Amino acid sequence: MSTIKIRTIRLFTAFALGSMAGCAADAISEDQVPLRKVSDPGAIAGKDLATARTAIWNAGVHGRGGKRTGPGTGTSTASGAGVVSVAAPRSVLGVDAASTVTALVLYDTTGQWGALGELYAIGTANLASHFGGWTAKAATAYTCGELANYSATIYLGSTFDEPLPACLLDDVLATTRPVIWAYYNVWQLAGRSPTFGTTYGWTPGDLDFSSIAEVDYKGRALARYAANADGILGVTVTNAAKATVLATAKRSGGTTTPWAVRSGHLTYVTEIPFSYMTESDRYLVFADLLFDALAPATAERHRLVLRLEDINPSDDVSQLQAVAQYLNSQHIPFGYGVIPQYTDPLGIYNNGTPVQARLDQTPALVTVLQYMASHGGTEVMHGSTHQWDATINPYTAVTADDDEFYRVIENPDLTLNFVGPVMEDSLAWAGGRLDTGKADFASAHLTAPAIFEVPHYAGSVNTYRAVATRFASRWERVLYFTGLFRGGAPDYTQPFGQLFPYAVRDAYGTRVLPENLGNIEPTAFHSYPPRLPADIIAAGQNNLVVRDNVAGFYFHCFFDIQYLKDTIAGLRALGYQFVSPASL
């Protein structure tokens, strides 16, 4: 195997979803529809979707509401062209199938951008699964008295003036069970009770489109994309004895406004927390607030998982052995992602001559993998070839450089277009590639892994469903698409990306382990800037706001091992405890 050149292209840190096909940066609609009491609608800026190297560019809701005709009327003049069908409720067990905790997730479906409600519901249900089972349904399909059947209810107001059932409003006001209400339509709730301000100690105000790049929570400054034009809804606390500000948004001028407030059973979050997500984002606040609603007795605990990445038959086994021996000396359990077949169909790294190799053809690598398995390692299957075919997708068509299950094209400015599934995509095709990869492990006399990692974190619905029938867990960030809840064909023009601060059982039905700190990149790679140990450690520090979190990062063994040592030392100093991915 001496003829195989060791590849130098690494897995990118996170999604840059703003330039997906059908969702290109300059194609995201920013209709200047008047919103609630906006004094200068013309001053509302469109999204600045400059390349976000480590951001997840989920669509926001700004400009997608209808024109209000009066406080609390529940009427809307928004176009109905985008109204999604209201499917039967979707119910799924959580990570712990025996948990008696249940969450009701209600989401909006009407208006031109009603489909966004489903995506936000998917993200919320995924998080709720950490605590127990969940049911997701359209808010308009709410059944009177239904709140009483669940441990807590979470409503995501993404459509301006969604026509919420009166009994939903009444039940939220009357219940003693926790309710988390995010963003729009809280004015309908306040308008339903003439004593809302007196009872809860706060009142909803105007939409605030200030530049806000920081949300403060538990003494830490978390990130918020400053050019996020969705706005947050203003809140005025009238009685601090009744209403507690949990998190504070900080404007660019230094003034602040509540980001989350709680009074009694009701917690209000002033925006949808899923857009423009990064490793240190205010999304972490929302993830932590779910503990108050679903597991309030949870003790503080901070765990950490490490994955060695992109191991394949082209690797220098001495580097792998050195990293494995170091981790063993430090008593650190770890995972290691293995690509069972290496292929360079265009000879990019072999002077124009195609080359291919399997695990059973590289006995030295197999020996190292066996050492890892017996010294604290947990094997992970990282695709079958981690590239598609002889087509560049998007870099070289070489193993570990390219996507395997999703078509991706690099633009001249180095940004990426996530086009959609590869042309062969089907449940059978995806399953066949997975089965081939598992057979490669067997041929090398290695136990087939129980954990899978989708190459470059980009898969089709068929990919994820095929994985669900063959593996116990996935370890990754994930793409979701409309249609998962409402049924029908998935819409690949409107993707939703998510990372997790703890283990979940996601909308595809598989346990997902967290990778939420990113990876070490000493030098810039295409559109991605360097990411050093200090960046990983800083993200780990911010993730401590989640009271029982699992932080995850990964490392390529062809880098200087000192980067890994420095990262481990920094994260341990924060109080993290390394655990095996198999324990989650």
Side-chain angles (χ1 to χ4, degrees):
M1 297 310 301
S2 59
T3 61
I4 300 177
K5 180 178 179 179
I6 299 172
R7 79 279 179 274
T8 58
I9 294 183
R10 282 79 67 182
L11 178 62
F12 49 77
T13 301
F15 311 124
L17 301 187
S19 53
M20 286 198 171
C23 191
D26 59 356
I28 294 181
S29 174
E30 286 301 335
D31 302 331
Q32 296 303 307
V33 178
L35 294 175
R36 185 171 187 259
K37 294 191 285 186
V38 176
S39 59
D40 183 12
I44 301 171
K47 292 184 179 69
D48 174 14
L49 291 182
T51 304
R53 308 298 192 252
T54 59
I56 296 179
W57 292 112
N58 292 324
V61 301
H62 167 57
R64 290 157 171 76
K67 185 175 183 179
R68 297 205 67 227
T69 59
T73 62
T75 60
S76 173
T77 59
S79 167
V83 175
V84 299
S85 59
V86 179
R90 175 81 183 276
S91 298
V92 175
L93 294 175
V95 169
D96 179 3
S99 174
T100 59
V101 174
T102 55
L104 176 62
V105 178
L106 300 173
Y107 60 97
D108 292 344
T109 57
T110 69
Q112 184 180 1
W113 301 96
L116 289 177
E118 180 185 3
L119 295 175
Y120 299 144
I122 289 170
T124 301
N126 287 339
L127 292 176
S129 74
H130 176 71
F131 306 93
W134 53 265
T135 295
K137 64 187 297 185
T140 55
Y142 176 78
T143 302
C144 298
E146 196 171 5
L147 262 66
N149 300 328
Y150 297 90
S151 305
T153 297
I154 307 161
Y155 166 66
L156 303 153
S158 60
T159 294
F160 197 91
D161 267 344
E162 182 85 352
L164 299 178
C167 68
L168 168 59
L169 303 175
D170 292 341
D171 287 351
V172 169
L173 293 169
T175 188
T176 57
R177 301 195 176 202
V179 174
I180 297 177
W181 189 297
Y183 206 29
Y184 283 163
N185 306 319
V186 70
W187 51 81
Q188 294 186 39
L189 184 67
R192 190 70 179 174
S193 169
T195 62
F196 184 90
T198 302
T199 301
Y200 291 95
W202 65 272
T203 57
D206 300 345
L207 281 165
D208 186 340
F209 295 99
S210 302
S211 175
I212 296 173
E214 177 182 320
V215 173
D216 297 330
Y217 181 62
K218 293 185 175 180
R220 301 193 188 279
L222 302 177
R224 182 183 185 274
Y225 181 51
N228 180 348
D230 295 345
I232 66 173
L233 194 76
V235 165
T236 299
V237 175
T238 57
N239 188 339
K242 292 186 176 182
T244 302
V245 176
L246 305 173
T248 302
K250 189 175 183 179
R251 302 183 185 93
S252 58
T255 59
T256 62
T257 184
W259 190 88
V261 61
R262 175 177 298 139
S263 180
H265 70 285
L266 178 63
T267 298
Y268 178 65
V269 178
T270 59
E271 67 172 332
I272 298 292
F274 294 111
S275 57
Y276 312 105
M277 197 187 307
T278 64
E279 291 88 349
S280 295
D281 194 72
R282 86 290 194 212
Y283 161 75
L284 296 171
V285 181
F286 186 75
D288 186 61
L289 292 178
L290 294 182
F291 282 93
D292 292 332
L294 296 167
T298 301
E300 194 88 5
R301 179 174 58 164
H302 304 292
R303 292 172 289 172
L304 183 65
V305 285
L306 163 65
R307 187 176 69 232
L308 307 181
E309 194 76 337
D310 286 344
I311 298 172
N312 69 77
S314 78
D315 279 342
D316 182 337
V317 295
S318 64
Q319 294 173 315
L320 299 176
Q321 184 73 29
V323 172
Q325 288 176 337
Y326 166 71
L327 294 174
N328 181 55
S329 73
Q330 296 296 303
H331 308 291
I332 294 175
F334 60 96
Y336 54 100
V338 180
I339 308 163
Q341 184 176 146
Y342 173 88
T343 182
D344 179 357
L346 303 178
I348 297 293
Y349 298 141
N350 196 43
N351 299 317
T353 301
V355 63
Q356 186 174 352
R358 300 188 310 272
L359 283 174
D360 61 358
Q361 296 171 316
T362 52
L365 174 60
V366 171
T367 298
V368 174
L369 296 179
Q370 290 170 335
Y371 174 87
M372 290 181 175
S374 61
H375 290 79
T378 298
E379 200 161 55
V380 178
M381 181 171 157
H382 188 22
S384 178
T385 64
H386 201 315
Q387 55 82 241
W388 175 28
D389 56 14
T391 304
I392 290 176
N393 190 42
Y395 300 121
T396 64
V398 179
T399 289
D401 289 359
D402 279 21
D403 288 75
E404 183 169 354
F405 297 97
Y406 213 88
R407 187 73 176 102
V408 184
I409 297 173
E410 187 178 34
N411 301 314
D413 65 354
L414 303 184
T415 59
L416 300 175
N417 277 338
F418 288 70
V419 178
V422 297
M423 64 179 65
E424 301 94 336
D425 179 67
S426 70
L427 192 61
W429 178 83
R433 288 188 78 97
L434 300 178
D435 293 340
T436 297
K438 295 181 75 171
D440 286 338
F441 281 95
S443 296
H445 304 290
L446 295 170
T447 302
I451 302 174
F452 188 80
E453 177 195 352
V454 175
H456 285 344
Y457 296 162
S460 67
V461 171
N462 284 324
T463 302
Y464 294 116
R465 287 176 172 165
V467 171
T469 62
R470 292 166 171 82
F471 295 87
S473 303
R474 302 195 320 274
W475 188 356
E476 60 193 23
R477 307 178 187 194
V478 193
L479 291 181
Y480 303 94
F481 310 92
T482 56
L484 287 176
F485 281 5
R486 75 170 187 263
D491 180 1
Y492 289 105
T493 69
Q494 185 64 81
F496 175 92
Q498 190 170 16
L499 48 75
F500 302 104
Y502 33 66
V504 305
R505 185 178 304 280
D506 76 345
Y508 296 118
T510 307
R511 180 188 299 259
V512 182
L513 312 183
E515 186 287 287
N516 52 355
L517 301 186
N519 65 299
I520 296 164
E521 287 286 349
T523 59
F525 164 63
H526 288 250
S527 62
Y528 301 95
R531 188 168 177 82
L532 300 173
D535 299 309
I536 305 291
I537 295 165
Q541 186 173 41
N542 286 324
N543 272 261
L544 292 174
V545 300
V546 180
R547 68 200 68 181
D548 183 16
N549 77 312
V550 178
F553 74 103
Y554 60 93
F555 179 74
H556 292 91
C557 295
F558 47 74
F559 287 139
D560 187 340
I561 196 173
Q562 191 61 46
Y563 290 118
L564 178 62
K565 293 179 178 180
D566 291 346
T567 305
I568 287 172
L571 291 171
R572 275 182 159 172
L574 294 175
Y576 278 104
Q577 177 186 3
F578 280 92
V579 297
S580 169
S583 70
L584 299 178

